[in-house]
Amino acid sequence: MSDLLYSEEEEALRSAVRGLLADRCDAATVLARAESPAADGPHDRELWKALTDGMGLAGLLVPEELGGQGATHREAAVILEELGRAVAPVPYLTSAVVATETLLACGGSEATELLSALAAGRTVGALAVGLATAPGAPFQGVRHEAGALRGELTGIADAAGADVLLVPADGALYAVHTAQDGVTVTPRTSLDLTRPLATVTFDAAAARELTPDADAAVRRGLRAGAALLASEQLGVAEWCLTETVGYTKERHQFNRPVGSFQALKHRLAELWLEVVNTRAAARNAADALATDSADADVAAALAQAYAAPVAVHAAEEALQLHGGIGMTWEHPVHLYLKRAKADSVAYGTAGGHREALARLVDLQAP
């Protein structure tokens, strides 16, 4: 049976991460970065350094013998909850979770070397599979010709800030460094400014093979991404609920707080129940991965099927109940709405996960 409660160590980790984000990733800082992208790329490199060099969080899922922390997906989920609450512009999900899990399925010296680099935080990795790809779904690859890669991949999350890409080609998986000749990363306009997408073009790019079985490695990475994305969505929803409750207590109409109106109480109570249920689904998914449960696929599909619409609902309610100020660029609620909307199609849609869940538990429609 899954343990959905947080341990003392997990709560201590949460407190430390939340304190760091309060100092270095407040709403004004994230807004300023979204408004005027920095010269060092889409990610906040100083914040990433503090999370990785300072706290060692990039290597939570990497075994200790490879330079990581040897922790579990439960701890990584706590990190993602806090990063979601801050809509932090760092590649934690794509590098420390998806790329890391993909490499853990590869084995071999090339993958081991990259895992150590990702765990140290000095290298940022990204799986070169479209962000909308669900676990187990077909994915696009490129061609491997004469020891080099050729082709184009679209919708790659955080590729613009990645040092190395994990690229599927002709059934195998390859590591490609983005700084070399033959690799062009073209940023695309993204709904979520804190997790940008890019098109990657390979023109005789040098590559190192990681595993001849790309399907298994990619599937493991995408499953971890879908399962732990629910924790990020939980963080987004919790921030939206907390801020909205606080605002409705302060905003007055007819000489009384709008939060005292019964209709709004009902809406916020319903949202609170949805957030609580999302926490249970997200924790179950993280625990299933941490314990290598036979029901991990079911837990991941269930978490995404539930968490994605809840995060969107919470952000929409926050926008509406903040009134006129919520519609302004200066208020950060739009960042949360964009993150929630973008997350709702990341690693598969809620509808797609419901269909997958039906197949997994043999509940097919008549």
Side-chain angles (χ1 to χ4, degrees):
M1 183 175 179
S2 297
D3 181 5
L4 305 185
L5 300 178
Y6 298 97
S7 67
E8 290 184 9
E9 292 79 7
E10 289 165 355
E11 290 292 2
L13 178 62
R14 178 196 307 283
S15 178
V17 174
R18 185 175 294 188
L20 174 67
L21 293 174
D23 290 338
R24 297 177 177 241
C25 191
D26 59 277
T29 299
V30 178
L31 274 170
R33 192 172 190 89
E35 193 171 44
S36 303
D40 61 348
H43 301 140
D44 188 333
R45 293 283 183 173
E46 290 303 313
L47 176 60
W48 180 245
K49 185 176 181 180
L51 291 168
T52 56
D53 286 355
M55 302 183 71
L57 300 183
L60 283 184
L61 300 180
V62 179
E64 291 183 69
E65 58 269 24
L66 299 182
Q69 304 300 315
T72 72
H73 302 82
R74 291 174 59 95
E75 288 79 16
V78 170
I79 303 303
L80 284 165
E81 286 181 34
E82 295 308 310
L83 294 177
R85 288 178 65 95
V87 287
V90 293
Y92 193 86
L93 179 66
T94 49
S95 183
V97 174
V98 177
T100 295
E101 280 284 311
T102 303
L103 287 170
L104 286 170
C106 293
S109 58
E110 294 288 353
T112 297
E113 180 183 335
L114 272 178
L115 277 170
S116 298
L118 262 60
R122 62 178 181 270
T123 298
V124 173
L127 178 61
V129 172
L131 182 61
T133 307
F139 53 86
Q140 183 183 3
V142 295
R143 304 183 306 279
H144 184 255
E145 301 173 352
L149 301 186
R150 296 181 183 275
E152 182 178 276
L153 298 170
T154 60
I156 311 303
D158 289 335
D163 303 301
V164 63
L165 298 173
L166 311 182
V167 186
D170 297 335
L173 190 69
Y174 296 85
V176 179
H177 289 276
T178 57
Q180 65 176 305
D181 293 336
V183 180
T184 304
V185 179
T186 307
R188 299 302 183 191
T189 302
S190 306
L191 174 62
D192 180 6
L193 300 176
T194 62
R195 179 172 290 146
L197 305 178
T199 296
V200 185
T201 305
F202 303 95
D203 185 8
R208 297 179 295 168
E209 182 175 320
L210 296 168
T211 176
D213 185 5
D215 285 348
V218 169
R219 187 182 184 284
R220 175 169 172 173
L222 294 179
R223 184 182 69 171
L228 296 190
L229 176 63
S231 292
E232 178 181 287
Q233 290 163 323
L234 170 61
V236 169
E238 284 186 328
W239 182 92
C240 291
L241 175 61
T242 301
E243 292 298 312
T244 304
V245 169
Y247 183 73
T248 56
K249 290 179 179 179
E250 297 173 357
R251 182 183 173 195
H252 284 67
Q253 283 186 353
F254 310 112
N255 292 321
R256 57 185 290 195
V258 296
S260 65
F261 299 155
Q262 189 172 27
L264 295 191
K265 286 182 178 180
H266 287 174
R267 285 169 65 174
L268 291 171
E270 178 184 354
L271 185 58
W272 179 82
L273 286 173
E274 292 180 359
V275 171
V276 170
N277 291 335
T278 298
R279 182 181 298 112
R283 292 299 293 167
N284 179 59
D287 188 72
L289 289 181
T291 57
D292 196 21
S293 169
D295 292 329
D297 289 341
V298 172
L302 176 63
Q304 268 310 296
Y306 193 85
V310 169
V312 173
H313 181 214
E316 289 175 342
E317 288 286 73
L319 182 68
Q320 184 174 25
L321 296 182
H322 272 80
I325 192 173
M327 298 297 294
T328 65
W329 178 268
E330 289 75 16
H331 196 281
V333 69
H334 66 89
L335 294 174
Y336 290 84
L337 179 60
K338 292 169 183 174
R339 172 66 69 89
K341 285 284 191 179
D343 281 357
S344 70
V345 295
Y347 306 117
T349 63
H353 283 289
R354 284 193 292 270
E355 292 177 2
L357 185 60
R359 291 193 299 271
L360 289 167
V361 299
D362 195 23
L363 282 176
Q364 301 300 316

